[in-house]
Amino acid sequence: MNQSPPTLSYQSLKPWFDKPALINDCVAQVQKDLGSYGISLKYSGNTNNAYEELFAQLKPQIQKLLNTNTILMEILYRVDVSEETVKKASEGDEDFSELLTRLILWRELQKVVTSFILR
């Protein structure tokens, strides 16, 4: 397969949003990376709304971490969301907890897709 890994953008990741096996791998990656910080996410197995399902559960937990200033930076480091990426993305008017939630989920998908492409 002669494809470049996707960038951390909607346009680049969009073609991968409807690949059930990759979505399931992404959910497993999110659960593994965040589970070690006590963040538990339930997944119904429905790949059609996996993003919305995870987003709805993760956003309030990210909001709580923003308010208590605990391990959020460790989580971003673990998931590999750079400070530069956060700064650049936060230049818009998106709610900060929504922005961080989106970046975490997109980065996890990006890692899974990149791994798939490089196989």
Side-chain angles (χ1 to χ4, degrees):
M1 195 175 282
N2 198 10
Q3 268 184 304
S4 298
T7 62
L8 194 58
S9 70
Y10 177 77
Q11 283 303 106
S12 184
L13 289 170
K14 187 178 185 309
W16 302 96
F17 287 171
D18 63 351
K19 308 258 188 270
L22 292 178
I23 298 301
N24 289 329
D25 287 351
C26 179
V27 170
Q29 184 70 41
V30 169
Q31 290 172 323
K32 178 180 93 63
D33 285 348
L34 302 182
S36 62
Y37 293 98
I39 296 176
S40 176
L41 302 171
K42 306 266 187 267
Y43 176 54
S44 67
N46 181 352
T47 58
N48 292 325
N49 69 344
Y51 177 80
E52 292 82 5
E53 190 176 330
L54 294 177
F55 190 95
Q57 294 175 67
L58 183 56
K59 182 184 179 266
Q61 295 185 67
I62 295 297
Q63 182 65 48
K64 183 178 178 183
L65 292 174
L66 279 170
N67 292 334
T68 59
N69 196 22
T70 56
I71 57 171
L72 186 55
M73 291 306 292
E74 285 181 46
I75 290 171
L76 293 173
Y77 179 78
R78 166 90 183 243
V79 174
D80 194 27
V81 175
S82 71
E83 187 176 334
E84 179 182 330
T85 299
V86 173
K87 282 182 182 177
K88 186 174 180 180
S90 65
E91 292 172 355
D93 59 359
E94 186 176 10
D95 174 81
F96 197 59
S97 61
E98 288 181 9
L99 172 117
L100 292 177
T101 302
R102 177 178 56 81
L103 289 175
I104 289 167
L105 294 175
W106 283 10
R107 178 62 182 123
E108 295 287 28
L109 178 61
Q110 182 188 36
K111 290 190 292 189
V112 168
V113 170
T114 299
S115 174
F116 173 77
I117 289 172
L118 297 177
R119 286 185 195 154

